[in-house]
Amino acid sequence: MPPRATDAHRAAVLGKPIAHSLSPVLHRAAYDALGLAEWSYDRFEVDEAGLPGFLEELGPQWAGLSLTMPLKRAVIPLLDEVSETAASVDAVNTVVFTEDGRRLGDNTDIPGIVAALREHGIEQVESAAILGAGATASSALAALARICTGEVVAYVRSEARAAEMRRWGERLDVEVRTADWTDAARALSAPLVIATTPAGTTDALAAAVPERPATLFDVLYDPWPTELAARWSMFGGAVVGGLDLLVHQAVLQVERMTGRSPAPLDAMRRAGEKALAER
């Protein structure tokens, strides 16, 4: 069922912490470009305990929500329906409210990763490496299930994380091999490296960038560039940044929430770049 088209003019991003989020900048830029002057997009700091109450208080003017950590899994029991994409990684980053009040959960991170790579000319890879094993790593693995024809090596810090990534691989039908983080420098020779770790985690790897690196997808966008991304670019490698992912997943969110397509990707990207430059 489509989202409310006439009386739903509010949307927001939820999470904790949330003050850093660029989502309001991107969505508001989209509303401006689409001529949706009556639409608004806000941010609210909400944790797992506060999420049920927040959802219950929403009125019929609400079109949808963007969710960040720690809510992507906590929201699932509160939804009426979850897309196959979101169910594949047990993570929802998008909720759309229908005219009859149903809550539909989706994941735009996975197709967003694929779209960001495609924009940089990456349609298919023979193998890949993932740095990290958190929620973003599982979405990266799901994206690789669509474009990687061979092995994925995940570099992690513990056997528990390694086991989790192998389970995700089995679930997503991706050939996953795990390696210890102490060998993470080996990842940098892969045709595609996806860094999913928090800020500063990969800084020590910058010195190990090979002379002819292939493609790095670093999901961070602030601070940018990371030391790894800067070194990668200096050696002539292709770099896909976190803003690329943020914009592409937000494009899909705007389309689902407003029912308008295509969303204005270029306008949203310019707004995001401007906001980051002013920080």
Side-chain angles (χ1 to χ4, degrees):
M1 183 172 294
R4 302 179 179 101
T6 57
D7 64 343
H9 307 306
R10 293 199 68 185
V13 60
L14 313 182
K16 185 175 182 179
I18 201 62
H20 68 287
S21 176
L22 276 182
S23 291
V25 171
L26 303 184
H27 284 251
R28 291 168 187 169
Y31 298 163
D32 288 344
L34 292 170
L36 300 176
E38 72 279 16
W39 282 67
S40 66
Y41 189 101
D42 303 294
R43 63 165 67 91
F44 296 94
E45 185 162 294
V46 178
D47 60 14
E48 298 102 318
L51 183 59
F54 186 94
L55 292 177
E56 288 300 323
E57 292 177 1
L58 299 182
Q61 75 274 26
W62 282 84
L65 298 170
S66 307
L67 301 178
T68 186
M69 298 303 292
L71 305 178
K72 293 184 179 183
R73 291 190 173 135
V75 74
I76 293 176
L78 307 175
L79 302 175
D80 297 295
E81 184 179 332
V82 177
S83 72
E84 289 185 10
T85 300
S88 71
V89 291
D90 289 337
V92 167
N93 78 327
T94 306
V95 177
V96 173
F97 303 109
T98 64
E99 290 183 347
D100 60 358
R102 299 179 72 235
R103 304 167 181 171
L104 310 183
D106 199 0
N107 185 308
T108 63
D109 285 331
I110 296 168
I113 290 171
V114 174
L117 287 168
R118 183 183 300 118
E119 185 179 41
H120 285 77
I122 308 297
E123 300 272 355
Q124 189 177 84
V125 291
E126 295 181 355
S127 62
I130 295 177
L131 300 174
T136 305
S138 63
S139 291
L141 196 58
L144 289 172
R146 304 183 181 189
I147 67 168
C148 185
T149 60
E151 182 183 64
V152 176
V153 183
Y155 291 82
V156 300
R157 293 189 180 276
S158 69
E159 176 53 36
R161 289 291 196 177
E164 182 177 1
M165 287 300 285
R166 290 193 293 268
R167 285 195 296 270
W168 282 120
E170 292 175 2
R171 180 169 177 173
L172 296 165
D173 197 24
V174 180
E175 182 183 353
V176 176
R177 178 168 61 87
T178 56
D180 192 85
W181 185 262
T182 56
D183 292 325
R186 295 178 180 271
L188 308 187
S189 297
L192 171 63
V193 181
I194 304 182
T196 69
T197 53
T201 305
T202 62
D203 288 356
L205 297 176
V209 173
E211 289 188 3
R212 296 180 180 84
T215 300
L216 170 69
F217 193 155
D218 195 323
V219 303
L220 295 174
Y221 62 84
D222 188 16
W224 187 260
T226 63
E227 290 190 25
L228 180 60
R231 181 84 169 180
W232 201 277
S233 294
M234 186 175 72
F235 277 75
V239 174
V240 185
L243 183 60
D244 295 305
L245 168 58
L246 192 65
V247 170
H248 277 284
Q249 66 83 27
V251 160
L252 297 171
Q253 289 184 333
V254 168
E255 292 174 352
R256 285 158 172 68
M257 292 179 192
T258 68
R260 299 282 293 274
S261 181
L265 184 147
D266 290 340
M268 295 168 71
R269 190 197 309 277
R270 287 194 298 270
E273 291 172 342
K274 182 175 184 291
L276 286 177
E278 293 174 348
R279 286 189 175 183

